Amino acid sequence: MRRKKGKASSERSVGDCSGRAISVDLPLGVLEGGVRAQVAEDVKSTCSRHTAKIHRVPGVSIMASFPLLFPLLVGCVVAAIPPPHHRPPCHIAGTSAICRDLSLTGTPVDLPTGVQALDLSHNQLWNLSRDTLAGHTGLHQLDLHSNMIHFIQPGLLEAMCDLRVLDLSGNRLNLFAQAKNQIGTLAAVECLDLSSNGLYTGMSDFFLADTPSLMDLSLSSNSITKIAQNTFSGALALRRISLHNNVILEIEDGAFDSLDGLSELDMSKNSITCITDFNLSCLRVLNLSRNSLELFQSTKSAEPYHLAFLDLSRNKLPYFPLLPTNNAIQHLDLSRNRLQSVQVTDVAETKMSETLLKHLRYLDLSYNQLTDLQQSFFRSMMSLEVLNVSNNCVSMFSVTDQNLLLAAKIINLSYNSLQNLSLGEGTLQALEELFLQGNDLRTLAQETFQKLPSLNLLQLHGNNLQVCPSETKPDQNPPSCVLFSSLPKLKFLYLSQNNLKTLPCRAFANTPLKLLDLSLNHGMEMHQDSLGGLEHSLVQLLLRESNISHLNTDMSSLRSLKLVDLSTNHLTSLPAWKRDLSIETLNLQNNSLVTLERTTMAALERSLKTLYVGDNPLSCCGNLDLVRLLQHSAVVVADIEAATCVLHEGSEPVNIEKVTQEMCSGQKKANYIVIIVVTVFLVVIVLGLLVKFCKSRKGKYIRRFSA
């Protein structure tokens, strides 16, 4: 062993295959601190050249040479270790750094200085400290969503004087609060997200005690059961609070009174049973849906309330809520409660004034137990545009006063027990959409819908109405029919499943329909000119599941028709359309079609883009025009897997895409051979019979001559 001057080293001699000693100078630090990369590379090269024959060094045993080999073996092992996996770098955009989902346990040290927005969400951070943030204390936005943080270094966030947005959601801050640690002053933080942290009652105090600038706060998806009077005493600038999806049972009096600027409060999906003396006059949005509310009452005050959006859906309210007298409510959702009446709790004491809901534009009463809607209920709703009373038990709906529902554009009365719909002259002049499906309407005044000049959509699916002829006088029509002609703005009409018996001539004349649904009217007979008057407007015609076996209506005159649904009927053929059609989508699924006329295919070829033709007993060779259309054009068979045909009776179905001319040519040849064989066979039989007949006649003649 020798030492070089000025450098501590250790020299080892290793035998090579010729017996010569190889000097390898290794720094002393190799045995103590690991092999440096340069030495490891050199050693790796040496290993590859000499280690295979080390044992053949004469006169040296393995055990005796072990001290000499050990450094070299260590170098070989280190050189064989693959380099560490490098994580992808953060995405840098200006002063923003996105380091999301990189399995980080801290901020990358190579992050540039001057970063103002840092996203460390979906990583593996446990503790939040100065080391974790690598000195980035000048941040304006910090996103730590979905980590495992359960400890925050005291004073860390307090020192971040420019921090405005802080997202700590999806962590384990309940452990931090259990230790009764204070997060300190958050002087500049305006938006704070503490959702999904397992926090329960009182724990939010450790984060909100001193947040003078806080305006947006989320405490959703925690385990809070009570809102105390002092919960928000350290955050008096709050404007928006989300307490969604907790277990709130109690709200102490005055819990929100000190928040003069509070405008939005979300307490949906909790366990609140009643709200009494509601007095948050500055609040604009209140969401109390998905609770167990049985009572909602406001304080008796003439003070103006700014509440515009109130969601009380999915509760247990048996009565209409008692709202502030001087309110500004525009959106009121009472759906999925237990309302049996639209009266408030105590009718005698709290009779609704004429101006109670004068600003209301949207009212949802669907999925309740209402049986009656008195006209007086709508008297104050001068601005109401959308009324939804679907899925109740209402049997009659009447609007006879021209001053009621003047602004109504959409009325939904679907899925009730309606037997009578009464509309007075000049009523509902602004109504654009009327939903009446799923009722039991049988008899209406013939001109009921002609009284609605702005009607654009009429949904009548699942009733029992009949269509009146348009060219006869009202007193000559059957008493149970309704007129659908001369509705100047009606574009969408749904008459499916109405047990329609007939569709008279020009039933929709002077009505610019774009969509007409006549499906599920079993046994309906259509006049040849039933669709007369729709030549330039009708775009979609639906006739599915109507037991139609023959279509005699002339569709070739409908120049704007793009979609026709004739699926699930009993059609054996289509009309011979002789002119080019504009149909782009044609549904012929599940019929009894064997062949499609050549003229029909030629008429469709120019415009057709999508075809449904599955579940039909199509003939392969009888529909070569169809096969050619499908195989050599841009037409898409949307149900191609079910689109099959048969080559001959009794044969297995073949996918229509696989049919070729040769199959049918071979089939024709085979048919010709069969015909020839049968013909020859019949000729032979006939000749045989003739020969036999002739012989028998000749025998008789000979016998007569002999006699």
Side-chain angles (χ1 to χ4, degrees), residues 460-520:
L460 287 165
H461 166 82
N463 284 281
N464 286 282
L465 297 173
Q466 299 300 312
V467 181
C468 293
S470 63
E471 298 178 347
T472 57
K473 295 181 179 180
D475 55 357
Q476 296 176 348
N477 290 326
S480 59
C481 71
V482 183
L483 283 166
F484 293 99
S485 59
S486 300
L487 298 176
K489 293 188 178 180
L490 186 64
K491 293 181 174 63
F492 304 92
L493 176 58
Y494 299 85
L495 281 169
S496 57
Q497 199 172 345
N498 264 271
N499 294 319
L500 293 178
K501 304 304 180 185
T502 60
L503 198 64
C505 176
R506 299 181 61 81
F508 311 103
N510 301 316
T511 298
L513 290 179
K514 288 187 175 181
L515 182 148
L516 176 59
D517 188 355
L518 297 168
S519 304
L520 295 159

Side-chain angles (χ1 to χ4, degrees), residues 286-289 309-315 331-334:
L286 176 59
N287 190 345
L288 285 165
S289 64
F309 181 102
L310 177 58
D311 190 346
L312 297 173
S313 63
R314 297 178 182 269
N315 280 284
H331 182 113
L332 178 58
D333 192 345
L334 290 165

